[in-house]
Amino acid sequence: MQSINMILFLVLAISLAMVTGNNAVVVETKQEGSGPAVTRESKYVSHVTLYIEKDDGSRTPSGWSTRQSEGATVDQPFKFQPGVGLIQGWTEGVLKMKEGERAELHVPAELGYGGSPMGSPGGAFYIPANSNLLFDIEILGKAGGEKEL
């Protein structure tokens, strides 16, 4: 059943890419959120693991995760405010989510880092230029009621 869902998702993603010119962020919900929708006005706390996503849907770890279960030294949630110091694809994706939701954000290179590599090969993390990104993100909730970074 899971492989059928993955095939359906890939067909949807490919169809969406053909219609939009592959410039759209695709949000694949893994766990529904029960909280309010994410907004630009609030600051949030999240768990995130970043992968490089190839055109065939395969993924390679980038080396950056806030989850101990996925390589971080300890669980260390990431604080962010949509639209502030983030790539466009992250902001577009999280604004489609709710607090408590876990999803995979499929971000095309144009809405990620584009032609700029990030990190260094062999370093703690590395994202080659023109990489499509996949963020496995869980919005834990608002960050202590703070509104700005």
Side-chain angles (χ1 to χ4, degrees), residues 29-141:
T29 300
K30 297 296 185 183
Q31 175 185 318
E32 292 288 334
S34 59
V38 172
T39 68
R40 288 181 179 272
E41 292 73 34
S42 295
K43 189 166 146 181
Y44 297 89
V45 178
S46 63
H47 271 305
V48 186
T49 302
L50 174 59
Y51 299 92
I52 308 306
E53 187 170 42
K54 297 189 174 129
D55 291 337
D56 65 3
S58 64
R59 59 181 76 170
T60 302
S62 71
W64 183 65
S65 180
T66 67
R67 297 178 177 101
Q68 186 174 16
S69 63
E70 296 185 34
T73 306
V74 297
D75 281 340
Q76 188 171 359
F78 176 71
K79 291 183 182 179
F80 71 94
Q81 183 174 351
V84 178
L86 300 168
I87 60 169
Q88 181 180 348
W90 174 294
T91 296
E92 286 183 17
V94 297
L95 289 174
K96 297 176 183 178
M97 296 177 67
K98 294 180 180 178
E99 291 180 38
E101 183 174 342
R102 184 170 181 172
E104 290 184 347
L105 307 182
H106 301 266
V107 178
E110 300 81 24
L111 300 177
Y113 297 107
S116 302
M118 297 298 292
S120 59
F125 80 98
Y126 180 62
I127 302 166
N130 300 309
S131 292
N132 295 324
L133 307 174
L134 185 145
F135 291 95
D136 175 350
I137 180 168
E138 180 179 6
I139 308 293
L140 302 173

Side-chain angles (χ1 to χ4, degrees), residues 6-23:
M6 182 56 134
I7 291 169
L8 290 174
F9 168 75
L10 289 173
V11 169
L12 174 64
I14 291 167
S15 299
L16 183 60
M18 290 171 68
V19 170
T20 63
N22 200 24
N23 288 343

